Amino acid sequence: MTQGMRDTGAVIPRENGFDEVTILWISEGMSCDGDSVSMTASGQPAIEDIVLGLIPGLPKVNLHNKVLSPTAGGEEFLAPYRKAARGEMTEPFILVIEGSIPNENINGDGYWTSFGNDENTGEPLTLNWWIDRLAPKAWAVVAAGTCATYGGIHAMAGNPTGCMGLADYLGWDFRSRGGLPIVNVPGCPIQPENFMETLTWVLYHAAGSAPPPPLDHMLRPQWLFGKTVHEGCDRAAYYEQADFAKDYNSPKCQVKIGCWGPVINCNVPKRGWMGGVGGCPNVGGICIGCTMPGFPDKFMPFMDMPPGGSLSTLLIKPYGALIRRLRGITNVTANREPKWHHNGPELTSGYNPRWRPYAPADPRRQAAIERNKP
């Protein structure tokens, strides 16, 4: 049964779950809107399937996203956001933030980014203004993309905006009205199915038919970001054999030419990018750590070998050389046909009728066998 929103700041009970949920998606953070665009490529599930109610067990979903909005924009588009900010929305809502959060305390006489205008003064309303009013009222808060989760490119050293991730802004111990921490889905941009799968889990939780999504210490979905790029990479066997690429035309392991895959939490090589196809190392691109909290600063310059790469590749070299040699010998043996595959006059496979205790009885054969017994 749908339960009304009350602007009390208390956790909203879920009991039997909600029949209807609104998603308020704001992409006015420091961003390129690439996460909204990437999300539309998801097919399992597709955002259309969720909005049209084609996923069994989910509540009715009302999506408000500027890229997908059927409205004419302006005040018509802003209406549900203003309603939620006033605490007047009757159904629970999920707040999705796209883009990094600037520090408006250092904006001088202006502002870094805005979303709509104040109805009374006409002055721009900053993203921070909206977050301050919507996040405490939201049943769940989701950060879409690395900019929103950890600050991303706009939070690089030397930036003038003081950008940060949503958890840096709200606090890492923030809890929504539904009792959930911020749900971080990093990626530059998000991998489409990663985000939609996470959102679907949150919606099932809202419906009362699933537990809260399990998150790691950086608030990422554990089942998506619990393994490294290397563990799902098509090229991982080359690393084991110490067979490293020297240029970007090679199909071998790219650690020596700048790939950070062995230490990056991301499932893109395993999952692909669209329709199961792609994934940076799978198609010849190095992993530059775009799902990680320190991106991009900790992983630059992008084409240089990662720190520790020289040592790890040196240590694995003798092991890899031995393994390659032994596997080569076995491969030669495995690529030969058995010696009894011939067209000669004798049966040389080792077959003996006497070794067939379950063969149908043949009196003449049995008699011959008895005569030839020692």
Side-chain angles (χ1 to χ4, degrees), residues 143-368:
T146 299
C147 290
T149 55
Y150 308 126
I153 291 173
H154 310 91
M156 287 178 67
N159 82 86
T161 62
C163 272
M164 67 198 86
L166 189 58
D168 298 317
Y169 183 78
L170 290 174
W172 286 85
D173 58 350
F174 171 88
R175 293 296 181 270
S176 69
R177 293 281 293 280
L180 296 172
I182 297 167
V183 179
N184 284 334
V185 188
C188 190
I190 49 172
Q191 198 283 343
E193 275 79 17
N194 277 357
F195 181 81
M196 290 306 302
E197 191 173 298
T198 303
L199 182 62
T200 302
W201 191 317
V202 173
L203 288 169
Y204 271 121
H205 180 51
S209 56
L215 307 177
D216 66 15
H217 71 290
M218 297 305 296
L219 306 181
R220 296 170 295 203
Q222 288 180 354
W223 75 98
L224 298 175
F225 295 93
K227 301 293 183 181
T228 65
V229 166
H230 185 73
E231 289 172 302
C233 181
D234 286 352
R235 301 167 183 252
Y238 287 106
Y239 183 99
E240 177 199 25
Q241 296 179 172
D243 204 358
F244 300 104
K246 297 179 180 179
D247 59 58
Y248 297 99
N249 296 315
S250 172
K252 299 177 181 179
C253 177
Q254 300 180 114
V255 165
K256 285 194 171 185
I257 53 175
C259 184
W260 283 78
V263 295
I264 301 303
N265 296 98
C266 181
N267 67 341
V268 165
K270 196 88 170 177
R271 184 159 221 172
W273 197 257
M274 292 177 63
V277 178
C280 308
N282 295 353
V283 294
I286 59 172
C287 173
I288 59 174
C290 77
T291 58
M292 302 298 279
F295 177 79
D297 299 76
K298 288 186 177 180
F299 309 102
M300 296 173 65
F302 290 138
M303 302 303 180
D304 288 0
M305 187 190 302
S310 296
L311 179 60
S312 65
T313 55
L314 180 64
L315 291 176
I316 202 171
K317 190 173 181 179
Y319 168 81
L322 175 63
I323 289 297
R324 282 204 312 273
R325 178 61 179 162
L326 294 177
R327 286 176 177 171
I329 295 171
T330 305
N331 179 259
V332 170
T333 303
N335 271 305
R336 291 175 179 168
E337 282 198 276
K339 60 185 179 181
W340 56 84
H341 289 191
H342 60 77
N343 196 32
E346 300 292 332
L347 178 62
T348 58
S349 68
Y351 169 81
N352 189 327
R354 296 175 64 179
W355 298 347
R356 300 183 64 202
Y358 303 107
D362 183 335
R364 290 174 298 178
R365 177 178 296 173
Q366 291 299 324

Side-chain angles (χ1 to χ4, degrees), residues 3 11 24 37 67 74 81 101-102 121 163 166 212 241 273 290 302:
Q3 303 182 34
V11 173
L24 299 179
V37 175
V67 173
Y81 296 87
I101 318 302
T121 66
C163 272
L166 189 58
Q241 296 179 172
W273 197 257
C290 77
F302 290 138

